[in-house]
Amino acid sequence: MSFHNLDLNSALLRVVKRAGYTEPTPIQVRAIPHILKGRDIIGCAHTGSGKTAAFALPIVQMLDPVSGRRRIRALVLAPTRELAAQIDEEFGKFCRDTPLRHVAIFGGVGQQPQVDALRRGVDIVVATPGRLQDLMNQGYIRLDHVEFFVLDEADRMLDMGFINDVKRIIKRLPRVRQTMLFSATIPPAVQDLSKSILTEPIKVEANPQASTVESIAQSIYFVESGDKRALLKHILRDPASERVLVFTRTKHRANNLAKQLNRARIPAEAIHGNKSQTARTNALSRFKSGRTAVLVATDIAARGLDIESVSHVINFDLPNIPESYVHRIGRTARAGASGIAYSFCDVDERKYLRDIESLIRQPISVVGEHPFVSTVKPPQRTMAEGNASNGKRGRRGRRSRVNRRSRVSQHRAS
Ligand code: AMP
């Protein structure tokens, strides 16, 4: 499949070529023709699937240049500042040869440059819900000429508690518009929201299992929680660990870990929601340029980060939400490249591992030999047993899950 088959105009075909995209990703193949026909869309796709271009290219094509006063005609809502900045950057690439103007609106930075850009007039706004509402309330933004509305990462938007903000913003949009909702997962809350904001939508999917997870070499290290740091340092000493994204469960753990690594002369920085926008942007650019080898992040901070060629993703802590595992490891398999993902798992995290394996429907192989192998006897692993042998979860699997639960609780009781 080529971009030439997607009804994009010659200017955008040139833009795509210049961006180095040789062929469209599955979500682009599936979404672009429907969007260009004016259809509402539910796109089930992860960051890393090329979903931004899937909506941004057709929007840029459909926005006719207007003479006279500019009004906001396309609005993209994103859950985090970083993601909003990245989407805006993608629009920047695609709008370069057009008269269209775009701006990113997000908090954590002064509002004046954003207000100035709005005063000069913009066609496309990419925003996080909080700052957008601030500026709407101050009278700098009107949404009554929006023709294209994109709700990006709807699942995360709801997880982060933005549902009422999103609803308030949607109330200010014209009823007649084209709406595109993108989400990595479609839980019932997203389903409900989609029913209330989309009209006869077409569902398009880029299956994450096939496109992302399968191309990543994943392994589990069973390790006691007190040995995780030493194990991480051991792995980071390998010269193959060039650019490593490490995930921790909390901001506090991210900060501490970055400090510890620096003490061990491993250049590392933490990135999380408590850091100022400038600090986050700077940390990110040092990581992108290779000055910092290790970026320690929490899920929210890393959401949507567009970092090319991460050599490894290391889950220092396993996420308790299994979908986050897929989001995290997706950072090491951007647009078709393959990657390596290691996960540390202590005895208390084994329940998370079980949930992750059932979500991705495959067992993750265990690194049997490393200097910090947990002395706590690992319980039998159901998915590994069941799936590795016959690809199904059978009665044996169910029985051993029960056994494992009792063994883990025995261990805790002792
Ligand atoms: P996204 O899922 O939109 O965050 O995109 C992930 C990354 O893939 C970004 O760096 C895009 O610039 C890049 N990308 C998007 N579409 C393509 C494509 N067709 N070929 C190669 N890279 C792409």
Side-chain angles (χ1 to χ4, degrees):
M1 177 57 93
S2 130
F3 277 105
H4 290 270
N5 305 116
L6 299 181
D7 305 324
L8 292 171
N9 63 31
S10 53
L12 283 174
L13 289 175
R14 277 196 302 276
V15 162
V16 157
K17 199 169 169 198
R18 199 167 55 207
Y21 303 172
T22 48
E23 59 178 64
T25 65
I27 193 71
Q28 290 163 0
V29 169
R30 288 169 203 160
I32 291 175
H34 292 302
I35 299 176
L36 285 173
K37 284 190 192 119
R39 297 296 304 260
D40 280 6
I41 292 280
I42 301 188
C44 189
H46 286 267
T47 294
S49 60
K51 70 181 159 62
T52 311
F55 63 75
L57 286 168
I59 288 177
V60 170
Q61 176 154 322
M62 290 187 291
L63 280 175
D64 298 319
V66 283
S67 51
R69 200 172 143 212
R70 278 174 203 270
R71 303 178 193 271
I72 300 168
R73 290 178 291 149
L75 172 69
V76 180
L77 274 188
T80 64
R81 301 154 184 183
E82 282 82 4
L83 185 60
Q86 277 169 208
I87 296 171
D88 185 58
E89 225 172 84
E90 287 269 288
F91 271 109
K93 281 188 218 164
F94 305 150
C95 291
R96 219 164 70 188
D97 297 336
T98 74
L100 297 170
R101 291 198 205 139
H102 56 96
V103 69
I105 300 286
F106 49 78
V109 292
Q111 73 167 41
Q112 201 50 46
Q114 298 172 1
V115 169
D116 292 343
L118 290 164
R119 282 217 179 99
R120 286 194 295 272
V122 291
D123 306 279
I124 301 161
V125 166
V126 184
T128 55
R131 175 61 63 88
L132 181 73
Q133 287 186 97
D134 280 354
L135 297 187
M136 282 163 65
N137 296 339
Q138 294 173 55
Y140 293 118
I141 290 185
R142 292 188 58 143
L143 299 179
D144 41 8
H145 285 82
V146 168
E147 298 164 30
F148 304 102
F149 171 56
V150 180
L151 185 62
D152 199 12
E153 305 212 341
D155 50 353
R156 191 50 60 127
M157 197 78 96
L158 302 194
D159 283 352
M160 290 171 70
F162 284 136
I163 180 75
N164 290 328
D165 297 278
V166 169
K167 284 185 175 162
R168 272 195 290 273
I169 293 165
I170 290 171
K171 274 201 191 117
R172 309 281 287 272
L173 297 173
R175 275 185 178 278
V176 179
R177 58 169 198 259
Q178 186 176 350
T179 304
M180 292 148 256
L181 179 151
F182 285 84
S183 199
T185 55
I186 314 282
V190 171
Q191 188 77 39
D192 289 351
L193 181 69
S194 72
K195 280 192 193 129
S196 66
I197 66 171
L198 299 167
T199 311
E200 295 177 17
I202 295 204
K203 188 167 181 192
V204 285
E205 283 186 66
N207 184 351
Q209 258 93 49
S211 62
T212 313
V213 177
E214 278 169 12
S215 62
I216 301 170
Q218 303 164 64
S219 339
I220 288 283
Y221 287 78
F222 285 118
V223 58
E224 284 175 40
S225 64
D227 286 334
K228 283 185 175 184
R229 277 184 191 161
L231 175 60
L232 180 64
K233 287 179 201 160
H234 170 76
I235 292 173
L236 293 176
R237 273 186 212 112
D238 180 344
S241 311
E242 254 172 81
R243 194 177 305 179
V244 183
L245 187 55
V246 176
F247 284 93
T248 61
R249 211 161 21 236
T250 65
K251 299 168 193 168
H252 185 65
R253 281 170 74 76
N255 271 340
N256 276 349
L257 186 58
K259 267 189 216 147
Q260 290 279 334
L261 292 175
N262 281 316
R263 262 181 230 146
R265 298 184 186 284
I266 299 169
E269 287 196 68
I271 175 167
H272 55 66
N274 277 8
K275 297 231 163 181
S276 74
Q277 182 57 27
T278 322
R280 287 204 257 177
T281 311
N282 291 345
L284 193 58
S285 67
R286 283 190 288 269
F287 184 63
K288 280 187 179 179
S289 71
R291 270 201 285 160
T292 316
V294 182
L295 194 63
V296 188
T298 56
D299 281 312
I300 286 179
R303 182 74 184 174
L305 286 187
D306 183 15
I307 306 164
E308 278 154 41
S309 56
V310 171
S311 65
H312 296 64
V313 165
I314 300 183
N315 292 307
F316 188 80
D317 298 318
L318 274 183
N320 54 357
I321 301 167
E323 282 81 6
S324 298
Y325 175 82
V326 180
H327 290 308
R328 288 177 177 191
I329 69 168
R331 316 302 71 225
T332 183
R334 317 294 288 164
S338 57
I340 295 173
Y342 295 147
S343 299
F344 296 176
C345 179
D346 66 28
V347 69
D348 293 328
E349 291 172 310
R350 293 214 171 114
K351 53 186 180 294
Y352 304 148
L353 176 60
R354 204 161 58 225
D355 293 344
I356 290 164
E357 287 181 327
S358 56
L359 176 77
I360 64 173
R361 293 194 212 102
Q362 65 184 66
I364 305 174
S365 62
V366 178
V367 179
E369 283 185 30
H370 63 84
F372 303 97
V373 173
S374 173
T375 50
V376 180
K377 203 145 179 49
Q380 254 176 304
R381 305 177 66 238
T382 315
M383 289 299 293
E385 279 179 352
N387 280 3
S389 54
N390 58 11
K392 287 188 208 124
R393 232 193 278 173
R395 295 181 71 196
R396 194 169 138 234
R398 277 197 296 274
R399 230 190 341 257
S400 63
R401 246 193 330 271
V402 174
N403 289 344
R404 177 197 312 162
R405 251 198 307 269
S406 59
R407 233 173 292 154
V408 171
S409 52
Q410 269 163 20
H411 164 73
R412 288 210 187 106
S414 59

